[in-house]
């Protein structure tokens, strides 16, 4: 009975946004629609959007880090990829827990945009992968650092704001490490 009730609750949450959500395949868009229904016109609407974007980016960092383990030629790139897997997996778990407390839906899979980035990189191997991966890591982390700083300064929800603030230093470290690794890859041509 409990299992059936849990399944029904999970199913209803997945499709609680009407017919459009049933036909959507983009996990981030589905989560966005669920959050709009729950938090529209609330003071944490922008915080929920930040959390969804952070979750989507975090999922991508983990998947790309895993990909670096198999497709990279450079040991330095593989080590950077492992750091992405380790650090972003931990941050993703923290964000999932925080989102559950706040009744915020997060994407459970990569958005179409992130999946496209992943698919493009998955086609590359060796030095071509290293160059494209590290360029992407620099670009992505520059964007993510800005986003987290903005949430840390302007967020409305104190816990989400504090979580974002607590991640800025690690993300800045990732950015600097990405730049160093990118430069090393470029020099090794």
């Amino acid at each position: 009975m409990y299992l059936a009730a849990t399944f029904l609750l999970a199913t209803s949450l997945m499709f609680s946004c009407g017919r459009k959500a049933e036909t959507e395949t983009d996990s981030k868009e589905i989560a966005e629609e669920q959050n709009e229904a729950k938090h529209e016109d609330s003071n944490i609407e922008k915080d929920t959007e930040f959390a969804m974007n952070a979750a989507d980016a975090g999922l991508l960092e983990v998947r790309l880090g895993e990909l670096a383990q198999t497709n990279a030629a450079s040991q330095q790139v593989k080590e950077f990829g492992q750091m992405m897997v380790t650090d972003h997996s931990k941050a993703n778990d923290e964000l999932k827990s925080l989102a559950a407390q706040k009744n915020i839906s997060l994407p459970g899979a990569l958005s179409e945009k992130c999946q496209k980035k992943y698919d493009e990189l998955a086609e590359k191997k060796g030095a071509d992968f290293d160059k494209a991966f590290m360029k992407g890591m620099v670009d992505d982390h520059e964007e993510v650092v800005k986003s987290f700083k903005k949430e840390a300064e302007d967020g409305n929800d104190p816990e989400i704001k504090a979580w974002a603030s607590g991640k800025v230093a690690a993300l800045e470290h990732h950015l600097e490490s990405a730049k160093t690794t990118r430069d090393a890859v470029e020099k090794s041509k």
Side-chain angles (χ1 to χ4, degrees):
M1 179 72 175
Y2 175 75
L3 185 59
T6 303
F7 176 76
L8 288 174
L9 177 62
T11 304
S12 69
L13 286 174
M14 283 177 43
F15 299 107
S16 64
C17 294
R19 295 192 79 235
K20 186 174 181 195
E22 290 175 16
T23 60
E24 284 290 346
T25 58
D26 190 311
S27 180
K28 185 178 171 195
E29 288 179 15
I30 293 169
E32 186 172 10
E33 290 174 3
Q34 292 170 348
N35 288 327
E36 284 176 2
K38 292 183 277 189
H39 301 288
E40 192 170 39
D41 298 326
S42 76
N43 68 339
I44 68 162
E45 187 174 6
K46 287 187 179 175
D47 300 293
T48 63
E49 187 174 326
F50 163 79
M52 285 187 325
N53 290 334
D56 194 32
L59 288 170
L60 179 62
E61 300 300 335
V62 171
R63 295 277 314 278
L64 291 177
E66 292 168 345
L67 188 61
Q69 304 306 299
T70 57
N71 288 18
S74 163
Q75 185 59 37
Q76 190 173 356
V77 171
K78 289 181 181 200
E79 289 170 5
F80 182 86
Q82 185 56 55
M83 180 174 61
M84 293 300 93
V85 171
T86 302
D87 293 356
H88 285 282
S89 291
K90 181 179 181 224
N92 292 350
D93 289 344
E94 292 171 4
L95 182 56
K96 281 183 209 171
S97 177
L98 181 57
Q101 293 171 19
K102 302 288 180 181
N103 196 25
I104 297 172
S105 298
L106 297 178
L110 294 177
S111 65
E112 289 177 11
K113 177 183 172 185
C114 287
Q115 185 64 51
K116 183 179 177 195
K117 282 184 179 182
Y118 178 87
D119 292 343
E120 288 171 1
L121 270 172
E123 294 176 6
K124 299 182 183 300
K125 303 264 189 266
D128 288 341
F129 175 86
D130 293 353
K131 183 179 176 186
F133 174 70
M134 292 317 304
K135 180 189 181 318
M137 287 294 102
V138 170
D139 294 346
D140 291 350
H141 279 87
E142 285 175 342
E143 246 181 72
V144 168
V145 166
K146 285 179 194 171
S147 171
F148 273 67
K149 283 182 173 180
K150 182 171 178 20
E151 178 66 21
E153 292 170 12
D154 301 333
N156 289 322
D157 183 273
E159 287 94 357
I160 295 173
K161 188 175 177 174
W163 180 81
S165 178
K167 298 298 171 223
V168 170
L171 291 168
E172 287 175 331
H173 170 71
H174 290 172
L175 176 58
E176 290 310 308
S177 186
K179 288 178 179 178
T180 300
T181 306
R182 177 202 60 200
D183 293 347
V185 165
E186 298 261 330
K187 288 179 186 173
S188 69
K189 285 185 188 181

